[in-house]
Amino acid sequence: MTSTAVPPQTLTRLPVYARVLDDLVRRGVVTASSVELAAAAGVESAQLRRDLSHLGSYGKRGVGYDVAELRAQLRGALGVGRRRGVVVVGVGNLGRAVASYAGLVPRGFEVVALVDVDPQVVGTTVAGVEVGDLADLPRLVAEREVSLAVLTVPGAAAQDALDAVAASGVRSVLSFAPRALTVPDGVALRSVDVAAELQILSYYLPPV
Amino acid sequence: MTSTAVPPQTLTRLPVYARVLDDLVRRGVVTASSVELAAAAGVESAQLRRDLSHLGSYGKRGVGYDVAELRAQLRGALGVGRRRGVVVVGVGNLGRAVASYAGLVPRGFEVVALVDVDPQVVGTTVAGVEVGDLADLPRLVAEREVSLAVLTVPGAAAQDALDAVAASGVRSVLSFAPRALTVPDGVALRSVDVAAELQILSYYLPPV
């Protein structure tokens, strides 16, 4: 399978399907219909069948999908089992939460470097990793084989952090900064914006 | 405008547009074309025009959109200016990060309650708010007019936390737990899964 086979919108749903399959394997379930899988994933079954067809998985009429086989295909597509090095940029509460987050390792990620600009924080140890100086980022990225960065810096520092990360050779970045960033050429950026998520939720609430 | 006027996919982009407009107002920009707005928001201009048409905003041919007017429409649709009370459930590093996050208040959210189950944490003060016991959630929700909850508990505790939040009358929940949750009737749930975001990003990386 080439890396262009899966449309971006489908790609965002694959981790959800992988999680559902993990659950089923844990519970000893051997086969599952598209309707059952879709319900557990919170999507329409036609959507799920279309998404999985991009992986070459079609299920059998009247039987459904082989849970173990489908899980293996999803894990292969998502690179689970490989190990990706992650640098966390910004070691405040959020950076500490990401660095300490036990859910990364089972899905193939390891926080191998932490950096900050605060001299009070540089040199301390968080989740077993010594915090380095942001200025050392290029060396840390090379030595520790970092392939992804998580930006947990204040909004005002986010563009500089993104530029520094890109200059150090990291090409995949997840930002928690609540602002639009100018993305350097060749870099893939995804953003998590907590206030935006709350705004979307509150649209459905009665007016206050 | 009724609350059913905006399709869900459009709704997820409105906070991004609102942020772009905030930026333009700060920079003193008076009008902007759909192409400029779309570029700043990272979407196609046809998409942006379609999204804004759901708010009744069309722009003028050859002139573009009135920045101040469009911003006011977006803020109205998203409820900016109202104040929504938020409870944070789980006061670890991530809960502390959410409670301390300065980006919430400007977008209309205030963390008015924190709860945990750990007796070591209950009674301490975080970001100016005393941490309550999870068992006190119904009282806190009623007294402090909580309308949204953020779940920052470990994955294994997330379903119980969601059920407790729903039982206390909160109808909008943002979960950071990396697992599929059974959503109680009448509750709107959105999820942020850091490992899933990294999986999506790493799909485009060269194999390791």
Side-chain angles (χ1 to χ4, degrees), chain A residues 44-133:
Chain A
E44 299 289 326
S45 59
Q47 174 87 76
L48 175 125
R49 284 192 299 271
R50 206 159 46 238
D51 287 343
L52 295 182
S53 73
H54 291 295
L55 301 181
S57 298
Y58 295 94
K60 288 204 184 77
R61 185 171 292 275
V63 179
Y65 293 86
D66 180 302
V67 166
E69 185 185 314
L70 182 56
R71 177 167 178 258
Q73 282 178 310
L74 280 163
R75 289 167 67 93
L78 290 169
V80 181
R82 301 172 212 157
R83 185 203 135 288
R84 304 278 193 188
V86 174
V87 61
V88 175
V89 181
V91 188
N93 281 316
L94 184 57
R96 282 167 209 274
V98 172
S100 313
Y101 176 40
L104 294 182
V105 169
R107 291 203 266 177
F109 303 101
E110 186 181 348
V111 175
V112 293
L114 305 169
V115 293
D116 204 292
V117 292
D118 181 350
Q120 303 266 41
V121 175
V122 173
T124 62
T125 298
V126 173
V129 178
E130 190 182 336
V131 179
D133 195 298

Side-chain angles (χ1 to χ4, degrees), chain A residues 19 101 107 190 193 197, chain B residues 19 107 178 190 193 197:
Chain A
R19 241 164 45 192
Y101 176 40
R107 291 203 266 177
R190 290 183 65 85
D193 181 339
E197 295 294 331
Chain B
R19 240 163 46 192
R107 291 202 267 175
R190 290 184 65 87
D193 180 341
E197 295 294 331

Side-chain angles (χ1 to χ4, degrees), chain B residues 159 162-163 165-167 169-173 181-189:
Chain B
Q159 185 67 56
L162 175 59
D163 294 342
V165 157
V170 175
R171 290 284 164 261
S172 294
V173 182
L181 298 173
T182 304
V183 184
D185 276 350
V187 171
L189 177 76

Side-chain angles (χ1 to χ4, degrees), chain B:
Chain B
M1 196 180 62
T2 72
S3 64
T4 54
V6 178
Q9 284 305 314
T10 291
L11 185 55
T12 64
R13 289 183 287 269
L14 296 188
V16 179
Y17 301 153
R19 240 163 46 192
V20 167
L21 272 293
D22 284 348
D23 249 20
L24 293 177
V25 166
R26 247 195 313 268
R27 288 161 43 203
V29 176
V30 175
T31 57
S33 69
S34 61
V35 173
E36 291 164 333
L37 293 174
V43 301
E44 300 290 326
S45 60
Q47 173 86 78
L48 176 124
R49 284 193 300 273
R50 204 161 46 237
D51 286 343
L52 295 181
S53 73
H54 290 295
L55 301 182
S57 298
Y58 295 93
K60 288 206 184 75
R61 185 170 292 274
V63 178
Y65 293 85
D66 181 303
V67 166
E69 185 184 313
L70 181 57
R71 178 168 178 259
Q73 281 176 309
L74 280 163
R75 289 167 67 92
L78 290 169
V80 181
R82 300 173 215 157
R83 182 203 141 285
R84 302 278 193 188
V86 175
V87 60
V88 175
V89 181
V91 188
N93 282 314
L94 184 56
R96 281 167 209 276
V98 172
S100 313
Y101 177 39
L104 293 182
V105 170
R107 291 202 267 175
F109 302 101
E110 186 182 348
V111 175
V112 292
L114 305 168
V115 293
D116 204 292
V117 291
D118 182 350
Q120 304 266 38
V121 175
V122 173
T124 62
T125 297
V126 173
V129 178
E130 191 182 336
V131 180
D133 194 297
L134 180 64
D136 280 334
L137 196 58
R139 183 180 58 79
L140 290 168
V141 164
E143 284 181 7
R144 302 191 188 170
E145 301 179 32
V146 169
S147 53
L148 300 109
V150 181
L151 305 186
T152 50
V153 295
Q159 185 67 56
D160 286 349
L162 175 59
D163 294 342
V165 157
S168 75
V170 175
R171 290 284 164 261
S172 294
V173 182
L174 176 62
S175 169
F176 281 88
R179 60 181 62 197
L181 298 173
T182 304
V183 184
D185 276 350
V187 171
L189 177 76
R190 290 184 65 87
S191 290
V192 172
D193 180 341
V194 174
E197 295 294 331
L198 293 176
Q199 285 186 322
I200 293 165
L201 279 167
S202 59
Y203 183 80
Y204 297 106
L205 288 171
V208 288

Side-chain angles (χ1 to χ4, degrees), chain A residues 18-29 71, chain B residues 179-180:
Chain A
R19 241 164 45 192
V20 167
L21 272 295
D22 285 349
D23 250 19
L24 293 177
V25 166
R26 246 195 312 269
R27 288 162 41 203
V29 176
R71 177 167 178 258
Chain B
R179 60 181 62 197

